[in-house]
Amino acid sequence: DVQLVESGGNLIQPGGSLRLSCAASGFTFDIFPMTWVRQAPGKGLEWVSVISISGAAIYYADSIQGRFTVSRDNSKNTMYLQMNRLRVEDTAVYYCAKGGWFGGPGLDPWGQGTLVSVSP
Amino acid sequence: QSVLTQSPSASGTPGQKVTFSCSGGNSNIGNNHVYWYVQIPGTAPKLLIYRNDQRRSGVPDRFSGSKSGTSASLAVSGLRSEDEADYYCAAWDDSLTGWVFGGGTKLTV
């Protein structure tokens, strides 16, 4: 079965840093783009970033541009989200999902999510 | 404020048909495929429809998607109580160079 497991979420103060991981299994990781999507408490879905198969191409949402960095280690079947200069408004459940390149077959599946809480 | 516009809520009774709308612009829906996701609160979203009208494997044919111009629709026929969830549309936006989601429609059955 295809499985995505996020980890690394925590309670952190504004201005701090956190690194999330997304461990993939059950599929050939290095032939699929990967995506991060977040959801603030009680709110809708917000796309964060998509990374290409090799990691050479990455797109970011304007809201996190310059503060967050996405990377992947295909040898470890893992994608990362390095979050710096965190703000209260970054509080959300962060999901990783397989896929996400424009024109592709969509984000499928999604992980269970990891909660990031940014609070003084 | 979401780039794609969805009605915040919809309702229906078992067996009925309900249609969700998703409105965008030329840089997103007008020039790219539309995707639909469903989320039961407290759980992760799941893909329903990809590339406007293609059902994900395992999704019942009660669910159907369509697109016209800068708008898209998701129809659910033969409503069941288990269809009660939040439904989101999404599309790639050429101007923003990223994915945009609708605000979601909460379906009550």
Side-chain angles (χ1 to χ4, degrees):
Chain A
D1 276 4
V2 174
Q3 192 172 16
L4 298 171
V5 179
E6 302 93 335
S7 61
N10 211 333
L11 172 62
I12 192 162
Q13 292 187 334
S17 297
L18 210 54
R19 188 177 85 155
L20 306 184
S21 298
C22 170
S25 61
F27 66 100
T28 306
F29 182 73
D30 60 6
I31 64 171
F32 290 96
M34 295 292 293
T35 296
W36 287 101
V37 176
R38 68 183 182 182
Q39 185 170 36
K43 302 296 184 181
L45 302 173
E46 180 189 15
W47 171 77
V48 172
S49 181
V50 60
I51 184 169
S52 66
I53 292 168
S54 67
I58 305 172
Y59 296 100
Y60 294 102
D62 289 343
S63 59
I64 56 88
Q65 181 81 40
R67 299 187 298 122
F68 291 10
T69 303
V70 175
S71 62
R72 63 190 295 164
D73 185 337
N74 288 342
S75 69
K76 296 182 179 179
N77 290 351
T78 302
M79 174 177 64
Y80 304 97
L81 180 64
Q82 177 66 44
M83 303 185 294
N84 298 329
R85 304 201 308 274
L86 281 160
R87 304 169 179 169
V88 171
E89 55 265 35
D90 294 320
T91 294
V93 173
Y94 285 73
Y95 295 102
C96 66
K98 169 175 161 280
W101 213 249
F102 39 93
L107 301 175
D108 182 37
W110 300 51
Q112 86 289 348
T114 188
L115 177 62
V116 174
S117 293
V118 185
S119 179
Chain B
Q1 194 81 1
S2 302
V3 174
L4 303 183
T5 301
Q6 295 183 256
S7 297
S9 64
S11 63
T13 57
Q16 276 190 331
K17 177 179 179 179
V18 65
T19 302
F20 306 112
S21 64
C22 176
S23 178
N26 292 324
S27 63
N28 41 69
I29 293 178
N31 200 42
N32 293 295
H33 296 307
V34 176
Y35 299 74
W36 291 91
Y37 299 91
V38 60
Q39 183 182 35
I40 296 172
T43 69
K46 293 182 179 179
L47 176 68
L48 275 178
I49 300 287
Y50 64 99
R51 294 177 186 147
N52 306 323
D53 56 10
Q54 302 299 301
R55 270 187 303 276
R56 184 209 184 266
S57 175
V59 173
D61 59 7
R62 302 187 295 108
F63 294 84
S64 62
S66 64
K67 186 186 101 166
S68 178
T70 59
S71 295
S73 296
L74 172 70
V76 185
S77 60
L79 271 180
R80 298 183 174 186
S81 58
E82 56 261 39
D83 297 332
E84 196 164 276
D86 297 321
Y87 292 80
Y88 294 91
C89 60
W92 182 264
D93 191 293
D94 295 328
S95 297
L96 297 174
T97 322
W99 289 96
V100 290
F101 284 90
T105 298
K106 182 177 184 62
L107 173 64
T108 301
V109 180

PDB file of all heavy atoms in Angstrom, chain A residues 12 25 41 77:
ATOM      1  N   ILE A  12       5.924  25.729  18.710  1.00  0.00           N
ATOM      2  CA  ILE A  12       7.141  26.520  18.599  1.00  0.00           C
ATOM      3  C   ILE A  12       6.803  28.002  18.657  1.00  0.00           C
ATOM      4  O   ILE A  12       5.693  28.403  18.317  1.00  0.00           O
ATOM      5  CB  ILE A  12       7.895  26.177  17.292  1.00  0.00           C
ATOM      6  CG1 ILE A  12       9.290  26.778  17.301  1.00  0.00           C
ATOM      7  CG2 ILE A  12       7.078  26.588  16.087  1.00  0.00           C
ATOM      8  CD1 ILE A  12      10.217  26.159  16.302  1.00  0.00           C
ATOM      9  N   SER A  25       6.391   5.221   1.324  1.00  0.00           N
ATOM     10  CA  SER A  25       6.596   3.790   1.121  1.00  0.00           C
ATOM     11  C   SER A  25       5.492   3.246   0.228  1.00  0.00           C
ATOM     12  O   SER A  25       4.440   3.871   0.072  1.00  0.00           O
ATOM     13  CB  SER A  25       6.606   3.049   2.463  1.00  0.00           C
ATOM     14  OG  SER A  25       5.371   3.210   3.124  1.00  0.00           O
ATOM     15  N   PRO A  41      -6.348  25.677  11.454  1.00  0.00           N
ATOM     16  CA  PRO A  41      -7.494  25.177  12.224  1.00  0.00           C
ATOM     17  C   PRO A  41      -8.808  25.775  11.759  1.00  0.00           C
ATOM     18  O   PRO A  41      -8.950  26.998  11.703  1.00  0.00           O
ATOM     19  CB  PRO A  41      -7.152  25.595  13.658  1.00  0.00           C
ATOM     20  CG  PRO A  41      -5.678  25.688  13.677  1.00  0.00           C
ATOM     21  CD  PRO A  41      -5.271  26.183  12.331  1.00  0.00           C
ATOM     22  N   ASN A  77      13.702   7.946   0.364  1.00  0.00           N
ATOM     23  CA  ASN A  77      12.248   8.028   0.107  1.00  0.00           C
ATOM     24  C   ASN A  77      11.575   9.043   1.031  1.00  0.00           C
ATOM     25  O   ASN A  77      10.489   8.791   1.577  1.00  0.00           O
ATOM     26  CB  ASN A  77      11.582   6.654   0.301  1.00  0.00           C
ATOM     27  CG  ASN A  77      11.957   5.664  -0.787  1.00  0.00           C
ATOM     28  OD1 ASN A  77      12.582   6.029  -1.784  1.00  0.00           O
ATOM     29  ND2 ASN A  77      11.606   4.418  -0.598  1.00  0.00           N
TER      30      ASN A  77
END
